[in-house]
Amino acid sequence: MVDHLANTEINSQRIAAVENCFGASGQPLALPGRVLLGEGILTKECRKKPKPRIFFLFNDILVYGSIIINKRKYNSQHIIPLEDVTLETLPDTLQMKNRWMIKTSKKSFVVSAASLTERKEWISHLEECIKHLLTKTGRQPCREPAAPWIPDKATDICMRCTQTKFSTLTRRHHCRKCGFVVCADCSRQRFLMPRLSPKPLRVCNLCYRQLLAEKKKEAEADRRQPEPIHSAIQGYEPSSGDDSDKSDDEKAEQWPADTEFYTSQVSWSSFHS
């Protein structure tokens, strides 16, 4: 189907229509060999509350955005390379049905479909595109996906100290490493995680200590490696680094570090044929 539609006029028109809906706020989507396979509205579990989002599945990327006027105007465009995507089906909750998680190295989030059949269609076509891309490029699936942010309403207290109660004056924060909802005192540290951002990101105290320990362990392993024979060559400067370790007392946690908040056990308009 992809080979049949690639570089056809109808495919070009469909992609141009999506570009027009995003307008100047969106990026160009037309590329040689790129095919728009389907589109539909899914409910995305956002930080504050679930919100409808328009999704477009191409043979190499997944695009989604906010709906201003359906079929006419969208904004807040996000583009996800399918090579970086892994999927995980999730159990239903009282509020959300037909859920699954879209996981990438930079961002992971939960979406839900209007029906079980629709979810199966989405997952089936996504997995088919991902498998084709990985086979074509020889890449391995994403092994370290980013943690999804736990919704604000999932807890009224800090998930680390379990003491601080959130209110209008006491803000919720999210650890960028584990995704937990934490208070300011439990997330004063910042840590550089190049996979997520070029700038240091907020992390909870527990994740900060773990990240520091991992960094120190990596530095020690590098120092133990034998010095290369060519190290004496003029101009060669072997890298070295010494990491300082910080620690601070932390109260007993109700949610251990290895706890997974998400664990597994609006309709799709069309897949073009």
Side-chain angles (χ1 to χ4, degrees), residues 63-243:
V63 178
Y64 73 93
S66 301
I67 303 169
I68 306 301
I69 304 174
N70 193 28
K71 300 290 185 180
R72 295 184 61 184
K73 186 173 179 59
Y74 309 124
N75 65 7
S76 302
Q77 183 191 75
H78 297 267
I79 300 177
I80 303 174
L82 289 181
E83 291 176 333
D84 195 35
V85 172
T86 55
L87 307 174
E88 179 183 357
T89 56
L90 299 174
D92 292 346
T93 65
L94 292 176
Q95 297 80 20
M96 306 292 291
K97 309 293 183 183
N98 311 308
R99 305 162 69 235
W100 78 96
M101 189 186 302
I102 297 174
K103 300 188 287 186
T104 77
S105 60
K106 293 185 177 295
K107 182 178 182 178
S108 301
F109 55 91
V110 177
V111 294
S112 63
S115 67
L116 183 60
T117 299
E118 184 181 328
R119 182 179 74 170
K120 289 180 179 178
E121 277 197 311
W122 269 105
I123 292 178
S124 173
H125 286 82
L126 278 164
E127 289 180 337
E128 183 179 350
C129 290
I130 294 168
K131 181 180 178 181
H132 177 76
L133 274 175
L134 293 179
T135 301
K136 182 179 178 180
T137 61
R139 287 186 53 182
Q140 295 297 314
C142 173
R143 299 189 182 281
E144 290 187 57
W149 283 19
I150 295 172
D152 285 0
K153 291 185 177 180
T155 179
D156 292 326
I157 61 174
C158 173
M159 298 178 71
R160 282 304 180 209
C161 69
T162 70
Q163 302 297 316
T164 302
K165 293 185 178 182
F166 298 120
S167 65
T168 305
L169 299 178
T170 306
R171 289 187 56 201
R172 291 171 169 84
H173 300 279
H174 279 82
C175 172
R176 270 56 171 182
K177 180 66 170 63
C178 66
F180 277 22
V181 183
V182 292
C183 65
D185 287 342
C186 288
S187 59
R188 294 193 180 281
Q189 305 291 350
R190 301 290 188 277
F191 199 89
L192 180 62
M193 294 180 282
R195 180 170 53 90
L196 300 180
S197 172
K199 299 180 180 180
L201 300 174
R202 179 189 292 269
V203 293
C204 68
N205 295 339
L206 182 60
C207 285
Y208 181 72
R209 292 200 299 270
Q210 291 176 340
L211 288 166
L212 273 182
E214 291 172 6
K215 187 176 180 180
K216 185 176 181 180
K217 185 177 180 180
E218 291 173 0
E220 291 174 348
D222 290 341
R223 286 197 294 269
R224 285 196 297 267
Q225 290 181 356
E227 188 174 348
I229 296 175
H230 60 276
S231 61
I233 297 177
Q234 186 175 4
Y236 177 76
E237 297 181 0
S239 61
S240 63
D242 211 4
D243 299 302

Side-chain angles (χ1 to χ4, degrees), residues 4-16:
H4 174 70
L5 286 173
N7 304 317
T8 62
E9 182 64 25
I10 185 63
N11 180 62
S12 298
Q13 292 175 356
R14 288 168 176 164
I15 295 178

Side-chain angles (χ1 to χ4, degrees), residues 49-67:
K49 63 180 181 179
K51 298 178 181 179
R53 293 287 184 261
I54 184 70
F55 282 78
F56 299 94
L57 176 61
F58 296 79
N59 59 326
D60 62 335
I61 58 175
L62 181 66
V63 178
Y64 73 93
S66 301
I67 303 169

